Amino acid sequence: MRAQLMDPPPHIEDERRRLGLDQRDEMWEGVIHVVPPAAEYHQNFEGRLVAALLPLVDARGLRVSPEVGLYRADNDFRVPDITVYRPEVTSQRGVEGWADLVIEIVSPGDESRIKLPWYVENDSREILLIDRETLDLELYRPVEGEPQQFMPVHSVTLDCTFERVDERLLRVVSGSYSQDIPMWRPG
């Protein structure tokens, strides 16, 4: 299910904010995209992936945050599942301008793929898509203003490779560092 609100009255935005329902909302050139909460197993995987990336991020003087706003303008921002960025591009509201690495955990029917061109236009260096059902991986980088897929799935930003071991296990490898991230799904 998708919900988009064009030119919503201020009281709707205020009420969503007051109730904490706006945490994953995105604004695409003035249109609010209401994003439902992620499934528990999606969130668990996301947290474990952030933890696995922390040593690589810290070693490079970067930051990593789940679900932080990536802003191009007040009325144009996205909320990736995970963002790796430089400390100097932050503000009170989130990340301003660009990210070094954006990670989207793709859920059925979500808008992750639709956001690829926006991330490239917003100067994001790398975009990693991880299918939450299969753990299939796709890594994109900007090439002549367009997202281009790269194989193997090796992040230049973190100098690490993301490997799908099987549909329930992702591995991050960088030199002698290796971390497995399980995806525990119900059933």
Side-chain angles (χ1 to χ4, degrees), residues 60-152:
R60 288 157 182 80
L62 301 171
R63 291 187 182 161
V64 60
S65 292
E67 301 178 19
V68 67
L70 181 57
Y71 286 82
R72 178 162 53 192
D74 289 342
N75 70 344
D76 197 11
F77 61 90
R78 308 298 184 269
V79 183
D81 287 304
I82 300 171
T83 306
V84 176
Y85 54 94
R86 299 176 189 281
E88 61 267 19
V89 300
T90 62
S91 71
Q92 289 287 86
R93 65 184 181 179
V95 176
E96 302 292 337
W98 58 280
D100 287 276
L101 174 63
V102 169
I103 300 174
E104 290 280 6
I105 302 168
V106 181
S107 303
D110 78 7
E111 297 178 311
S112 296
R113 292 183 192 292
I114 299 168
K115 295 191 281 186
L116 275 170
W118 188 89
Y119 289 136
V120 168
E121 291 166 12
N122 210 45
D123 297 325
S124 294
R125 189 173 178 191
E126 296 180 306
I127 304 104
L128 176 64
L129 302 182
I130 304 171
D131 185 297
R132 82 172 190 193
E133 301 305 319
T134 64
L135 294 186
D136 287 339
L137 302 162
E138 300 172 29
L139 179 70
Y140 295 88
R141 293 189 193 108
V143 175
E144 297 179 5
E146 299 292 328
Q148 182 174 347
Q149 190 171 359
F150 282 79
M151 295 295 285

Side-chain angles (χ1 to χ4, degrees), residues 20-75:
L21 300 174
D22 67 335
Q23 296 302 304
R24 295 179 54 89
D25 288 357
E26 299 180 341
M27 189 168 292
W28 297 23
E29 298 175 355
V31 177
I32 294 177
H33 287 237
V34 178
V35 180
E40 182 278 334
Y41 69 94
H42 177 125
Q43 292 286 33
N44 183 283
F45 178 78
E46 179 180 306
R48 289 174 178 278
L49 182 54
V50 168
L53 296 178
L54 270 173
L56 304 173
V57 168
D58 289 347
R60 288 157 182 80
L62 301 171
R63 291 187 182 161
V64 60
S65 292
E67 301 178 19
V68 67
L70 181 57
Y71 286 82
R72 178 162 53 192
D74 289 342
N75 70 344

Side-chain angles (χ1 to χ4, degrees), residues 164-184:
R164 176 190 178 273
V165 176
D166 59 34
E167 69 280 350
R168 292 190 178 258
L169 190 64
L170 179 72
R171 181 170 293 143
V172 177
V173 179
S174 179
S176 63
Y177 177 81
S178 179
Q179 186 70 43
D180 287 349
I181 303 105
M183 172 62 87
W184 292 311

